Amino acid sequence: MTRELMIMRHCKSSWRDTTLPDVERPLNARGKADALAMGRLLDEQRLLPDLAISSPAKRARSTLKRLAKASHYRGQIRIEETLYHPTPSQMLTILSQVDDAHRRVLIVGHNPELDELVHVLTGQVVSLPTGAIVHLRLTID
Protein backbone atom coordinates (compact mmCIF):
# COMPACT_ATOMS: atom_id res chain seq x y z
CA MET A 1 0.00 0.00 0.00
CA THR A 2 1.33 3.44 -0.90
CA ARG A 3 1.19 6.21 1.68
CA GLU A 4 2.30 9.79 1.36
CA LEU A 5 4.23 11.66 4.00
CA MET A 6 4.91 15.36 3.82
CA ILE A 7 7.59 16.61 6.17
CA MET A 8 7.62 20.37 6.74
CA ARG A 9 10.06 22.47 8.69
CA HIS A 10 8.28 25.35 10.42
CA CYS A 11 8.59 28.74 8.74
CA LYS A 12 11.00 31.47 9.81
CA SER A 13 10.69 32.39 13.47
CA SER A 14 11.30 35.63 15.30
CA TRP A 15 14.21 36.16 17.68
CA ARG A 16 13.01 39.67 18.60
CA ASP A 17 12.08 38.80 22.20
CA THR A 18 15.09 36.95 23.62
CA THR A 19 13.30 36.40 26.94
CA LEU A 20 10.78 33.98 25.41
CA PRO A 21 11.33 30.27 25.97
CA ASP A 22 12.25 28.53 22.70
CA VAL A 23 8.90 26.74 22.53
CA GLU A 24 7.09 30.11 22.56
CA ARG A 25 8.99 31.81 19.72
CA PRO A 26 6.48 33.12 17.12
CA LEU A 27 6.83 33.42 13.37
CA ASN A 28 8.36 36.59 11.99
CA ALA A 29 6.76 38.53 9.09
CA ARG A 30 8.58 36.46 6.46
CA GLY A 31 7.56 33.23 8.21
CA LYS A 32 3.91 34.27 8.25
CA ALA A 33 3.98 35.10 4.53
CA ASP A 34 5.86 31.90 3.66
CA ALA A 35 3.35 29.73 5.55
CA LEU A 36 0.50 31.26 3.56
CA ALA A 37 2.43 30.77 0.31
CA MET A 38 3.09 27.10 1.09
CA GLY A 39 -0.59 26.62 1.87
CA ARG A 40 -1.57 28.08 -1.48
CA LEU A 41 1.00 25.83 -3.17
CA LEU A 42 -0.39 22.69 -1.53
CA ASP A 43 -3.89 23.70 -2.58
CA GLU A 44 -2.82 24.41 -6.18
CA GLN A 45 -0.96 21.09 -6.39
CA ARG A 46 -3.87 19.22 -4.79
CA LEU A 47 -1.61 17.94 -2.04
CA LEU A 48 -3.75 18.56 1.00
CA PRO A 49 -3.15 15.99 3.73
CA ASP A 50 -5.77 13.79 5.36
CA LEU A 51 -4.12 14.48 8.71
CA ALA A 52 -1.76 17.23 9.86
CA ILE A 53 0.43 16.74 12.93
CA SER A 54 2.39 19.58 14.51
CA SER A 55 4.99 20.12 17.16
CA PRO A 56 3.57 22.05 20.13
CA ALA A 57 6.04 24.90 19.53
CA LYS A 58 4.27 28.17 18.70
CA ARG A 59 6.20 28.64 15.43
CA ALA A 60 5.20 25.15 14.21
CA ARG A 61 1.54 25.53 15.25
CA SER A 62 1.40 28.98 13.59
CA THR A 63 2.97 27.61 10.43
CA LEU A 64 0.31 24.90 10.24
CA LYS A 65 -2.52 27.29 11.12
CA ARG A 66 -1.58 29.70 8.31
CA LEU A 67 -0.93 26.88 5.84
CA ALA A 68 -4.35 25.40 6.64
CA LYS A 69 -6.06 28.77 6.20
CA ALA A 70 -4.42 29.49 2.83
CA SER A 71 -5.04 25.97 1.49
CA HIS A 72 -8.63 25.75 2.77
CA TYR A 73 -7.62 22.60 4.68
CA ARG A 74 -10.50 21.37 6.80
CA GLY A 75 -9.04 18.06 7.90
CA GLN A 76 -7.87 16.90 11.27
CA ILE A 77 -5.03 18.77 13.02
CA ARG A 78 -3.21 17.12 15.89
CA ILE A 79 -0.69 18.75 18.21
CA GLU A 80 1.81 16.12 19.28
CA GLU A 81 3.86 17.02 22.37
CA THR A 82 6.64 14.58 21.51
CA LEU A 83 7.33 16.37 18.20
CA TYR A 84 9.22 19.10 20.04
CA HIS A 85 12.78 17.92 19.34
CA PRO A 86 12.10 14.17 19.07
CA THR A 87 14.40 11.40 17.92
CA PRO A 88 13.71 9.83 14.51
CA SER A 89 12.49 6.77 16.39
CA GLN A 90 9.92 8.84 18.28
CA MET A 91 8.70 10.39 15.02
CA LEU A 92 8.38 6.96 13.43
CA THR A 93 6.40 5.76 16.45
CA ILE A 94 4.01 8.71 16.08
CA LEU A 95 3.60 8.00 12.37
CA SER A 96 3.11 4.25 12.94
CA GLN A 97 0.13 5.06 15.16
CA VAL A 98 -1.68 7.03 12.45
CA ASP A 99 -4.96 5.42 11.47
CA ASP A 100 -4.84 3.54 8.15
CA ALA A 101 -7.62 5.75 6.81
CA HIS A 102 -5.11 8.61 6.49
CA ARG A 103 -3.32 8.14 3.16
CA ARG A 104 -1.45 11.48 3.17
CA VAL A 105 -0.01 12.88 6.39
CA LEU A 106 1.73 16.21 6.98
CA ILE A 107 4.12 16.57 9.89
CA VAL A 108 5.34 20.05 10.92
CA GLY A 109 8.40 20.24 13.12
CA HIS A 110 12.00 21.27 13.59
CA ASN A 111 15.53 20.74 12.42
CA PRO A 112 17.83 18.92 12.76
CA GLU A 113 15.26 16.25 13.63
CA LEU A 114 13.35 16.48 10.35
CA ASP A 115 16.56 16.23 8.33
CA GLU A 116 17.34 13.07 10.30
CA LEU A 117 13.86 11.65 9.62
CA VAL A 118 14.25 12.22 5.88
CA HIS A 119 17.64 10.50 6.03
CA VAL A 120 16.23 7.50 7.93
CA LEU A 121 13.35 7.11 5.45
CA THR A 122 15.23 7.76 2.20
CA GLY A 123 18.96 7.50 2.81
CA GLN A 124 19.25 11.04 1.42
CA VAL A 125 21.13 13.75 3.28
CA VAL A 126 19.12 16.98 3.23
CA SER A 127 19.19 20.35 4.92
CA LEU A 128 15.65 21.68 4.98
CA PRO A 129 15.39 25.47 4.99
CA THR A 130 12.56 27.02 6.98
CA GLY A 131 9.19 26.48 5.31
CA ALA A 132 10.41 23.63 3.09
CA ILE A 133 8.30 20.52 2.49
CA VAL A 134 9.57 17.07 1.53
CA HIS A 135 6.92 14.92 -0.15
CA LEU A 136 7.52 11.16 0.06
CA ARG A 137 5.57 8.27 -1.37
CA LEU A 138 6.22 5.19 0.72
CA THR A 139 5.16 1.59 0.26
CA ILE A 140 4.02 0.46 3.70
CA ASP A 141 2.27 -2.71 4.82
Side-chain angles (χ1 to χ4, degrees), residues 100-134:
D100 289 343
H102 301 298
R103 313 278 284 161
R104 183 182 294 142
V105 175
L106 169 67
I107 187 169
V108 180
H110 312 273
N111 260 358
E113 295 84 2
L114 294 180
D115 287 349
E116 294 170 7
L117 178 62
V118 172
H119 179 72
V120 166
L121 292 173
T122 69
Q124 300 290 316
V125 176
V126 298
S127 180
L128 296 175
T130 55
I133 299 176
V134 171

Side-chain angles (χ1 to χ4, degrees), residues 2 23 56 60 75 78 86 98 125:
T2 301
V23 73
R78 233 174 61 200
V98 169
V125 176

Side-chain angles (χ1 to χ4, degrees), residues 21-86:
D22 180 68
V23 73
E24 290 300 320
R25 277 192 296 117
L27 295 177
N28 67 16
R30 181 181 130 201
K32 291 174 183 177
D34 288 350
L36 293 171
M38 293 307 286
R40 288 189 296 271
L41 177 67
L42 290 183
D43 187 38
E44 290 166 8
Q45 298 294 316
R46 295 189 175 131
L47 287 173
L48 295 182
D50 301 315
L51 171 66
I53 307 171
S54 175
S55 156
K58 185 172 187 174
R59 59 196 179 273
R61 289 183 289 117
S62 295
T63 294
L64 181 52
K65 179 181 176 183
R66 289 173 181 281
L67 180 144
K69 180 179 180 179
S71 68
H72 310 289
Y73 176 68
R74 300 289 180 254
Q76 184 181 359
I77 293 177
R78 233 174 61 200
I79 305 303
E80 182 63 53
E81 295 298 320
T82 55
L83 279 182
Y84 184 65
H85 301 302

